[in-house]
Amino acid sequence: MAEFQANKITDIGPPKYDEMWPQVIKDNYGKWLYHDILEPGVLVHVSESGAKVWSLRCGATRLMTTMFLEQVCKLADEYCGGFFRFTTRNNIEFIVSDESKLEPLKKALADNGALPLGGTGAGVTNIVHTQGWVHCHTPAIDASGVVKAVMDELFDYFNSHKLPAQVRISLACCLNMCGAVHCSDISILGVHRKPPVIEHSHLDKMCEIPTTIAACPTAAIKPNKVDEFKSVAVNADRCMFCGNCYTMCPAMPLADAAGDGIALWVGGKVSNAKSMPMFSKLAVPYIPNEPPRWPTTVNTIKKIVEVYAGDAMKYERVGEWAQRIGWEKFFEKTGLEFSHHHIDDYRFAATTWRTSTQFKW
Amino acid sequence: MAKMHDTPMLDELTKGPWPSFVTDIKKAAEAGNEACADLLGQLELSYKDKEGHWKHGGIVGVLGYGGGVIGRYSDVPDLFPGVEHFHTLRVNQPASKFYKTERLREVMEIWNNRGSGMLNMHGSTGDMVLLGAFTEELEPIFAELTQKGWDLGGSGSALRTPACCVGKARCEFACIDTQDICYSLTQEYQDEMHRPAWPYKFKFKIDGCPNCCVASLARSDCAIIGTWRDDIRIDQEAVAAYVGGEIAAHGGANGADAKLDIKADVIDLCPTGCMFYEDGKLTINNAECTRCMHCINVMPRALRPGLDTGASILVGAKAPILEGAQMGSLIIPFIKMEEPYDEFKEFVEKMWDWWDENGKNRERIGELIQRLGLSAFIEAVELKPIPQMVKEPRSNPYIFYKEDEVPGGFERDIADYRKKHAR
Ligand code: HEM
Ligand code: HEM
Ligand code: SF4
Ligand code: SF4
Ligand code: SF4
Ligand code: SF4
């Protein structure tokens, strides 16, 4: 290993962005006049220089192998001068500046089979998501598998523009929410529902007790002695099943086949267009984990999207629609059950209660 | 040859129209990649158990850096030795995720030789996430990456890899140079990124306009969002073409043949009611406009952001843990963003000093602002409070005064009071 440490290079940062740009992007930087979406997944941008670029946006799995990435590189070499890009939502974009390459590239993408065009405009684009059972230690659900199952069912909205507005779906596999799914039109959240199970016989050997106690956001953990073992106790009433303790202390696992599952949230947005950005709100507190294809989750999401599609006005995002009709109507129209779990009981809860005589039946 | 495991449940995920990660990883496994075969095996077991099979972390990393690597070990290594160690390296992506294939192949080659060959393009923070390496490969991978001009991103209580939207490279709405700001901040703050020294993580995200395609306002401690302070540019001829149905509404986002109804789709949906269409002419009362982007989004050929561009800065967004989710709060309504961004960086450093000094362990800056108050933060970064910073003024009467704000101070003599007021 010494050989690798001798000439150590550090803190160089990423390659500079413009090294990664095709010539047409360099030439027209900051000169773009307008764009049109020609068909789902195909955009054209027109520059004041007269140049045009066609971008072909394709759905892709965020989790991929270098074998697949090599196929993408080959397509980029053949049609795009050796350049391509990813969008923030894990889509892949091939950019061509020569219109004659457009149809052959479309055909090559179709032949590949794993690069469907879409994700533009008033539809559903790729799902931003986290690691799930593929890498993380605290997930309540898988990520990639749920995404695959949901996107299969909503595929028809990925390659069309028939919704009132764009619908952004995100997934996080525990409430740490890596990737912050709290402002999405629909968010899929993995939830635990049981406090950690404590391995008293090993806790003091595997964990540092003060840091474990400090890790708990709600101060639910206190020191405890069980038989001859120094350990901790969890106040179950205060536990919100976040898994921070397990991150600090491997002797406190949370995962539980019967306890874990999915909560669905709706109506968030990050854009400032028309209404201000909004948080997503709880639609369904719990759906059981149903690998490999999570049918109840998939069907519930589909239902929400369909009711929204049929009822919302043009340009209205899910949250704008729910606000206009009222959340009481949202539950009526979607047929989702309202329970005590929907009523906030954390900090600032009172800001969500109704302080008016105005409501709908 | 890699040992293939039976994966009946995962095989269900090879069906359907959306691309399948199982199909992809299986192909690599069949081509002999043992990590791929064993990852599928272990994932199948997780599907069966409905519980994950990773132990956590353990401290792994590369010498000289406090972050950039996330440790991971299998809890069933005897069954799946190919993923016994499955550490992640975060590799700092080029701004806005354009790639030259020749450069990307450098990373792929290192990863094929020394890692699992699996990766996330990209992690939620923005990095390329190389997924699955053995401990002994970490230093060699790092050395080879840096020799080729690639570096690790941030993790832990450090600056996380900054990220930005496509911006001026290919979006007509961009009001600021998102890539250059992203690159400049990344380079300037390498030490803050690689050597965690703060109460908790800190993220920058840069959006070119208020559409917020990288969700800066929801997902970064400091959101830099392009905006303008002069007038929206109007091309009346193009307005007429929209009205006449010659150009598709919304850049075709609602269908290539969607016609624009200027009253219903634009005038009536403008949240401030500041747009008028009379005698075939569109006017905007720009003094009332809040620059929400709606009209520009639906008539991109007719309307463009103004020319006096800069950024709005919002601070404090985060996911729920701990106090609940927060969005960024507007701190600087408008700042010019011109290279080398000194004015902005001065603000950043004041903000970090205050957080570093006052923040508790694992307290994000948004939570610290909640705990000590927005006013305290505004004072610390030496800004003047202005109405733009809030949605509305306070409605509770609990106004705090400092002693020097009140004539004569707080010290009083009860005897003086009693001279005028009987007991
Ligand atoms: C006609 C108006 C719009 C145009 C021209 C436009 C343009 C773009 C572009 C160029 C991207 C790729 C950016 C990147 O990957 O860095 C993008 C992505 C995105 N935009 Fe917009 N945008 C528009 C409106 C909006 C609005 C109104 C919202 C939110 C309400 C929005 C949210 C997003 C999101 C979340 C992404 C990531 C999508 C993906 O990667 O598939 N955009 N948009
Ligand atoms: C107490 C809170 C949190 C803990 C303990 C935590 C823990 C973790 C862990 C262990 C990972 C590694 C996952 C893996 O690859 O195995 C991770 C990844 C990540 N976390 Fe968090 N996290 C927390 C909160 C957050 C928040 C609030 C955000 C964003 C706002 C965030 C953003 C990320 C991102 C972007 C990744 C990369 C994973 C991906 O892209 O899928 N985390 N986090
Ligand atoms: S959301 Fe939770 S389980 Fe998922 S990657 Fe983040 S910390 Fe891990
Ligand atoms: S799961 Fe979270 S709330 Fe519950 S004890 Fe652990 S750290 Fe505390
Ligand atoms: S945030 Fe604005 S400038 Fe950036 S890509 Fe989105 S629409 Fe364009
Ligand atoms: S940007 Fe928004 S507020 Fe301003 S004129 Fe257009 S629709 Fe109205």
Side-chain angles (χ1 to χ4, degrees), chain B residues 232 234 266-277 282-292 295:
Chain B
I232 293 178
I234 307 179
V266 186
I267 310 288
D268 292 353
L269 291 182
C270 167
T272 62
C274 70
M275 306 187 77
F276 308 91
Y277 183 70
L282 182 71
T283 50
I284 298 176
N285 178 357
N286 282 280
E288 292 297 315
C289 167
T290 50
R291 300 164 311 285
C292 82
C295 59

Side-chain angles (χ1 to χ4, degrees), chain A residues 213-283:
Chain A
I213 291 170
C216 178
T218 64
I221 307 178
K222 52 176 206 251
N224 188 21
K225 200 150 187 247
V226 181
D227 305 326
E228 76 276 29
F229 302 114
K230 275 209 286 189
S231 182
V232 297
V234 169
N235 177 348
D237 290 342
R238 295 191 76 149
C239 180
M240 54 173 178
F241 321 113
C242 68
N244 278 311
C245 49
Y246 180 55
T247 296
M248 288 300 150
C249 175
M252 298 178 74
L254 272 89
D256 186 277
D260 300 347
I262 285 175
L264 293 179
W265 307 73
V266 298
K269 75 194 264 283
V270 293
S271 150
N272 290 275
K274 303 197 295 296
S275 54
M276 291 203 199
M278 296 187 244
F279 290 126
S280 318
K281 291 157 185 67
L282 183 64

Side-chain angles (χ1 to χ4, degrees), chain A residues 276-277, chain B residues 387-393:
Chain A
M276 291 203 199
Chain B
Q388 281 77 2
M389 292 170 175
V390 294
K391 274 197 264 217
E392 55 187 31

